[in-house]
Amino acid sequence: MKAFWVSLALIVAPITVAVAAETAIRPGAIWPDDKGVHINAHGGGVLLHDGVYYWFGEHKIGGDAGNRAHIGVHVYSSRHLTNWKDEGIALSVVDDPMSDIVKGSVIERPKVIYNKKTRKFVMWFHLELKGLGYKSARAGVAVADKVTGPYVYQGSFRPNAGVWPVNLSEADKDPAKTVVARDFETGQMARDMTLFVDDDGKAYHLYASEENHTMHISQLSEDYLRPAGKYARMMPMGDDEAPAIFKRNGRYYLLTSGLTGWAPNPAKSYVADHIFGPWKALGNPVRGTPEQAAVTFGGQSTFVLPYRGRFIFMGDIWRPKDAIDGRYFWLPIEWENEKPVIRWRDQWTLKDLEGLK
Ligand code: GAL
């Protein structure tokens, strides 16, 4: 009998293709994981934990349906950033129609940070409730004891209900005048987002708010599970989304896009001495042809990954008609007169980063 099961196991074992170790990063190309399958972690971010990088992102399926969540948040691990091991689904959507994260809801731009005090991994994501298009504009939170999950859903909300931004004028507290005042009681709209942990351990949630017209930078509670009740408007009416923030030599840099949905538009860059601003616009970070600058190489920012004192821009080239075919474009951040800039490369290696300005 045992022999029968052994031979049956051999027959049904999936056929795996040996994947050659990859040393180059090829922006825009299919990026195979350890099983030879194109990485499925869109709108993602990377967490470095105990010497291992973990890439979390939206698991998409084929066709237009892939723009909604059918599986959840996928996670991959890597020591060297070029070869990624499939670690499975970190946060799964559910069948329960009463749950916020039921199959068919929208779960976008998930990011994970580690809380040293609670020793928990905390995931935030942009949540749109099933069947409501993009009207919900909520932040979802999930927590895990292990970096790869399973993440346990904690709930969703519009952040900062009943709290004024630190930098809002008295005149703008008029609900007839500003969306931030309109939404004061119910909480602020939260769509495209990222998370950032500062050197002092304080964490921040950056989200496109006010009908996407104004980015908010919102401090998190000590356990990183809730807003702390202190937030700023980044660039009022700046029309910024797709935030990717990083810190270099004590200054904060933020890369964003404009508001054209899945279609690409010119990227933007900003700098500030304090995370709550004031933020100064540094212009389009893309260097290349006018066409490349006009559409950010056909994609949109999602994260900036610090790597040995250098920074890697991570972006998505969306394929909304066949979401699973979305591509990634990772590019080295170079510096030009203290401004972060990116140039297209068909392929590059981490060694190339060392030779950069
Ligand atoms: C983009 C946004 C994506 C997704 C898309 C939906 O502007 O960056 O994350 O929300 O709109 O149209």
Side-chain angles (χ1 to χ4, degrees):
M1 199 57 184
K2 195 175 167 209
F4 168 77
W5 286 113
V6 170
S7 48
L8 186 69
L10 286 175
I11 296 164
V12 297
I15 298 164
T16 51
V17 185
V19 182
E22 183 59 83
T23 53
I25 290 175
R26 301 174 210 278
I30 289 285
W31 195 338
D33 66 10
D34 61 321
K35 296 173 185 155
V37 177
H38 181 45
I39 291 171
N40 202 335
H42 309 266
V46 172
L47 171 69
L48 173 61
H49 188 76
D50 287 346
V52 180
Y53 294 92
Y54 295 89
W55 177 357
F56 296 84
E58 306 158 24
H59 180 106
K60 304 252 193 201
I61 63 168
D64 164 73
N67 299 314
R68 290 168 296 282
H70 299 272
I71 304 290
V73 175
H74 210 131
V75 57
Y76 297 81
S77 68
S78 176
R79 285 190 178 271
H80 307 291
L81 297 179
T82 41
N83 297 281
W84 291 89
K85 178 172 178 248
D86 183 357
E87 298 279 3
I89 302 303
L91 173 72
S92 296
V93 293
V94 299
D95 290 315
D96 176 4
M98 298 307 286
S99 167
D100 292 353
I101 57 166
V102 61
K103 282 180 190 158
S105 59
V106 170
I107 293 178
E108 288 182 342
R109 298 184 178 269
K111 305 289 180 299
V112 173
I113 52 180
Y114 178 63
N115 190 303
K116 284 187 185 149
K117 287 186 191 150
T118 62
R119 298 187 176 194
K120 302 272 185 202
F121 297 89
V122 182
M123 177 190 290
W124 284 60
F125 51 90
H126 165 203
L127 174 76
E128 296 291 345
L129 301 175
K130 187 179 175 185
L132 296 180
Y134 276 82
K135 287 206 180 91
S136 307
R138 295 170 81 83
V141 181
V143 173
D145 294 322
K146 234 183 91 202
V147 58
T148 51
Y151 283 76
V152 179
Y153 181 62
Q154 305 291 301
S156 77
F157 48 86
R158 283 192 170 186
N160 291 312
V163 183
W164 290 115
V166 293
N167 56 352
L168 188 73
S169 69
E170 284 304 315
D172 282 343
K173 292 183 180 170
D174 177 355
K177 248 183 107 185
T178 61
V179 175
V180 69
R182 182 198 73 186
D183 292 347
F184 178 75
E185 300 289 349
T186 50
Q188 300 297 324
M189 300 175 81
R191 292 202 181 104
D192 279 11
M193 58 140 283
T194 194
L195 299 177
F196 175 72
V197 181
D198 210 338
D199 307 324
D200 59 5
K202 287 197 177 108
Y204 298 85
H205 173 212
L206 286 79
Y207 55 89
S209 195
E210 304 181 34
E211 307 286 357
N212 288 354
H213 292 305
T214 303
M215 180 82 55
H216 290 179
I217 301 180
S218 170
Q219 194 179 317
L220 298 185
S221 55
E222 285 209 357
D223 58 10
Y224 299 172
L225 299 179
R226 307 283 309 174
K230 192 175 174 192
Y231 71 111
R233 299 170 88 211
M234 195 276 292
M235 184 64 59
M237 303 310 283
D239 287 352
D240 291 286
E241 63 177 17
I245 187 173
F246 62 106
K247 193 176 186 183
R248 175 185 181 255
N249 299 339
R251 308 187 88 192
Y252 301 88
Y253 293 87
L254 179 63
L255 303 177
T256 69
S257 76
L259 315 178
T260 53
W262 300 120
N265 57 52
K268 298 182 254 180
S269 60
Y270 300 91
V271 65
D273 289 327
H274 303 282
I275 195 156
F276 283 153
W279 287 85
K280 184 180 151 206
L282 297 178
N284 189 335
V286 172
R287 295 291 175 272
T289 66
E291 291 76 21
Q292 287 176 323
V295 295
T296 313
F297 311 116
Q300 194 179 26
S301 43
T302 185
F303 198 74
V304 169
L305 171 56
Y307 179 79
R308 299 190 182 175
R310 312 278 170 172
F311 297 91
I312 300 170
F313 170 96
M314 292 170 53
D316 294 282
I317 297 174
W318 304 111
R319 297 268 164 91
K321 291 197 178 109
D322 189 19
I324 195 173
D325 193 35
R327 306 298 172 89
Y328 312 101
F329 69 119
W330 290 22
L331 293 167
I333 290 185
E334 301 173 53
W335 295 89
E336 202 178 270
N337 305 323
E338 290 301 298
K339 288 183 187 180
V341 299
I342 48 175
R343 291 186 172 79
W344 184 261
R345 293 156 189 253
D346 288 333
Q347 67 172 66
W348 57 281
T349 66
L350 294 172
K351 258 197 151 313
D352 296 337
L353 284 177
E354 291 161 22
L356 292 179
K357 274 196 208 158

